[in-house]
Amino acid sequence: MGVSGCASHANAPGMHPDIFWPNPPEVKRIAFVKVVSKPEDLNIRPGILKRLVNYIVGRGAASIVSPYGIATDSKGRLYVVDTIQKRVHVFDTAGNQYFFFPSDKTMLASPVGIAIDKEGFVYVTDSKRGLVYIFKDNDKKFLSTIGSGIFKRPTGIAVNPKTSELLVVDTLKSRVFRFDLSNRMPKGSFGTDGATEGRFHYPTNIFVTLTGDIVVSDALNFRVQVFSPKGRFLFTFGRMGDAPGTFSRPKGVAADSDGHIYVVDALFDNIQIFDKRGSLLMAFGEHGTGYGEFWLPTGIYIDSNDMIYVSDSSNRRVQIFKYLKEGMTQ
């Protein structure tokens, strides 16, 4: 695969353009799908009664302001953590519904990451309060918190189905904490501050691959580290720089169904894609406000259908892409 951040455009008024990476004549591997900043972008429209109620109470448009953590659940609902609005937006296309939680505007002080387990429990990290909040019952019911007295600044979070664990990155402690999903009790941790293999310096984001391997964005070491499901160091890649394959401000990490690792760089305003061993395959995106362009992107999530969701933070939106599986080399 060639390293490319180019795209082919075919604009039509009122429609999303056809954008693919890399440029022809190379095989298309990433396709732009759509942009989401409000429910209407997903054809979610409130009924007449709800629109009337919103008008009476003066409730404005349900727009994303500062997206970071992203996840989808088993029903295909899209969850977006909004750090400025201190809420989680939920877009339910199948049910033609939009809602947000928590309803108490003071509950979350600085929400960052989100993860959802197979039972439908939703976990949201609050970096300022040093807690993980747990929600249930269509995500509107607050259940409890975990991590009191453990975390300093929890940020990235992920569920590992292979080990039935909840994994939480603590940026200030430079550590990944492991919790048993059955009872939400601590099971241990791995990592400590440092620059050698297996150590972190301000880690931020985390993702679990289909095989259960754990991918961590080691931000101020300007690299990505990969661990086994039990937290054993496997390999690392990346260094500080401004050339392809290096990082300036690595943020979100994710992996597709073939194990390729995607890394968001907030200062490069792009996503770099690496193979299973950390060799650069290609990149897509550039600075801007148009389709397929980014302005300080942060989080990324890839679902079981290889749909790629990217938090385009300063553009106040989520951009959705598709990994074209038949085009990517192994």
Side-chain angles (χ1 to χ4, degrees):
M1 296 180 59
V3 176
S4 175
C6 299
S8 63
H9 300 253
N11 292 292
M15 298 178 62
H16 290 309
D18 293 327
I19 308 176
F20 302 94
W21 291 266
N23 234 9
E26 295 186 66
V27 177
K28 300 171 183 177
R29 280 125 180 172
I30 302 294
F32 170 79
V33 177
K34 65 181 62 179
V35 164
V36 178
S37 61
K38 56 188 182 300
E40 289 77 10
D41 295 330
L42 292 172
N43 295 318
I44 299 172
R45 302 182 184 278
I48 295 175
L49 180 60
K50 190 166 186 178
R51 290 200 302 268
L52 178 61
V53 170
N54 289 343
Y55 175 78
I56 293 173
V57 301
R59 186 176 297 163
S63 298
I64 295 171
V65 175
S66 182
Y68 200 115
I70 314 174
T72 60
D73 65 11
S74 60
K75 297 179 180 180
R77 298 186 296 187
L78 173 63
Y79 296 68
V80 182
V81 176
D82 196 316
T83 60
I84 288 182
Q85 295 195 54
K86 301 177 183 179
R87 65 175 57 162
V88 178
H89 301 271
V90 183
F91 302 90
D92 181 1
T93 55
N96 189 38
Q97 292 185 63
Y98 162 84
F99 60 91
F100 66 83
F101 66 93
S103 56
D104 181 354
K105 296 181 180 180
T106 66
M107 178 175 289
L108 299 175
S110 182
V112 178
I114 185 169
I116 306 169
D117 68 20
K118 65 180 181 180
E119 303 298 330
F121 291 97
V122 180
Y123 306 87
V124 180
T125 58
D126 191 316
S127 64
K128 186 173 183 179
R129 299 204 195 282
L131 296 169
V132 172
Y133 286 74
I134 307 172
F135 299 89
K136 185 60 174 172
D137 189 19
N138 285 332
D139 320 304
K140 299 175 184 178
K141 181 179 179 181
F142 166 67
L143 292 182
S144 61
T145 63
I146 59 176
S148 179
I150 297 176
F151 301 132
K152 281 189 175 181
R153 185 179 294 174
T155 49
I157 188 169
V159 167
N160 194 338
K162 296 294 184 181
T163 57
S164 296
E165 291 179 346
L166 181 70
L167 305 170
V168 184
V169 174
D170 193 311
T171 297
L172 291 185
K173 285 191 173 183
S174 294
R175 190 174 300 173
V176 176
F177 287 91
R178 303 163 59 200
F179 293 83
D180 191 322
L181 278 176
S182 64
N183 56 23
R184 303 191 181 100
M185 296 298 293
K187 287 184 64 177
S189 64
F190 60 91
T192 186
D193 190 64
T196 56
E197 294 179 347
R199 296 188 172 210
F200 304 110
H201 192 41
Y202 282 74
T204 54
N205 295 73
I206 190 169
F207 192 85
V208 175
T209 71
L210 288 180
T211 60
D213 288 345
I214 303 164
V215 183
V216 182
S217 177
D218 191 5
L220 291 191
N221 279 325
F222 303 97
R223 66 187 181 187
V224 170
Q225 297 200 68
V226 181
F227 299 82
S228 74
K230 293 186 177 181
R232 177 176 59 85
F233 172 80
L234 296 178
F235 65 95
T236 183
F237 61 90
R239 58 181 175 81
M240 182 169 61
D242 57 8
T246 65
F247 301 120
S248 181
R249 189 176 293 177
K251 291 282 189 178
V253 288
D256 63 30
S257 61
D258 285 329
H260 305 115
I261 299 172
Y262 297 59
V263 184
V264 174
D265 197 299
L267 290 187
F268 288 170
D269 288 314
N270 73 357
I271 290 90
Q272 298 186 75
I273 307 176
F274 300 81
D275 69 12
K276 298 176 183 179
R277 297 301 303 174
S279 296
L280 181 65
L281 297 175
M282 63 171 286
F284 68 96
E286 58 186 283
H287 178 74
T289 60
Y291 298 130
E293 297 175 342
F294 302 101
W295 185 9
L296 294 178
T298 50
I300 185 171
Y301 181 83
I302 302 178
D303 69 15
S304 59
N305 296 313
D306 283 323
M307 301 298 291
I308 306 162
Y309 305 84
V310 181
S311 289
D312 191 4
S313 180
S314 290
N315 279 326
R316 299 186 172 195
R317 64 189 183 181
V318 170
Q319 295 202 64
I320 305 176
F321 305 85
K322 172 72 174 177
Y323 163 50
L324 305 177
K325 191 179 178 74
E326 66 277 8
M328 191 77 82
T329 57
Q330 298 298 311

